[in-house]
Amino acid sequence: MPAGWSTEGDASSGDKTFCDYRQPHKARIQVSRSFQKGGGLTATVVTVGIRQYASASDAAESFTAMEKALRACHQETYQGSVLKYSPMSVDKLGDRSLGVRIDSDGTTVLQQFTLDGPTLINVGTGGLTNAEADTATKLLRDQVDRYEAAART
């Protein structure tokens, strides 16, 4: 992470999906980490996650299921809050990429996903007064580059 970010501890990945779509395959390995910058109303949170599947085809089917759910579902209520989903443009990385803007209770979260072989990499950022797409894009690009470098060795 760039200077100024602190870890938020281990993030619970949970099994929640957009509009509770059914995942066709379960990730073999799933890790996530959250970071925070600033505080109070100006705090920004970033979450980075990696889900590795048994095969590239399992990962692609899971990515397709998420795409399909986001095309069909634009809003849901989760833990008492209404979440509104909007497609968001993202840089094309890995095999496929998608972005979703999530608005709820005056807060915006920008979530970006990239499919890279058997792995789905995601980065999300948000806050009450700021959601930085550039930060999420840079972090996602860095994660994809690191994953691909590790896969080559």
Side-chain angles (χ1 to χ4, degrees):
M1 292 296 297
W5 292 88
S6 60
T7 58
E8 284 285 289
D10 294 332
S12 171
S13 58
D15 290 329
K16 174 68 177 116
T17 60
F18 295 109
C19 298
D20 298 319
Y21 75 91
R22 185 184 145 323
Q23 296 183 61
H25 302 282
K26 186 148 180 79
R28 290 178 49 208
I29 299 169
Q30 186 167 335
V31 294
S32 179
R33 176 69 93 176
S34 294
F35 302 88
Q36 180 175 332
K37 183 177 183 180
L41 292 176
T42 62
T44 301
V45 175
V46 170
T47 301
V48 178
I50 297 174
R51 287 183 262 172
Q52 187 166 3
Y53 294 84
S55 67
S57 63
D58 284 0
E61 288 176 24
S62 296
F63 192 90
T64 298
M66 180 175 55
E67 282 180 315
K68 184 177 177 183
L70 286 168
R71 278 195 303 268
C73 178
H74 304 284
Q75 179 175 308
E76 70 175 316
T77 300
Y78 178 65
Q79 295 182 343
S81 294
V82 175
L83 306 176
K84 295 180 182 176
Y85 304 128
S86 305
M88 182 180 77
S89 61
V90 295
D91 285 357
K92 301 301 180 201
L93 299 170
D95 302 319
R96 293 161 50 194
S97 298
L98 72 81
V100 61
R101 176 187 172 113
I102 306 165
D103 291 296
S104 179
D105 300 329
T107 301
T108 299
V109 174
L110 307 176
Q111 193 79 34
Q112 299 181 34
F113 299 87
T114 292
L115 175 66
D116 199 346
T119 303
L120 194 145
I121 303 167
N122 69 284
V123 173
T125 184
L128 288 174
T129 60
N130 192 16
E132 298 177 20
D134 292 340
T135 297
T137 299
K138 181 185 179 328
L139 289 172
L140 184 60
R141 184 176 288 114
D142 290 348
Q143 291 301 311
V144 169
D145 289 348
R146 288 179 183 151
Y147 171 76
E148 289 176 350
R152 284 190 294 268
T153 59

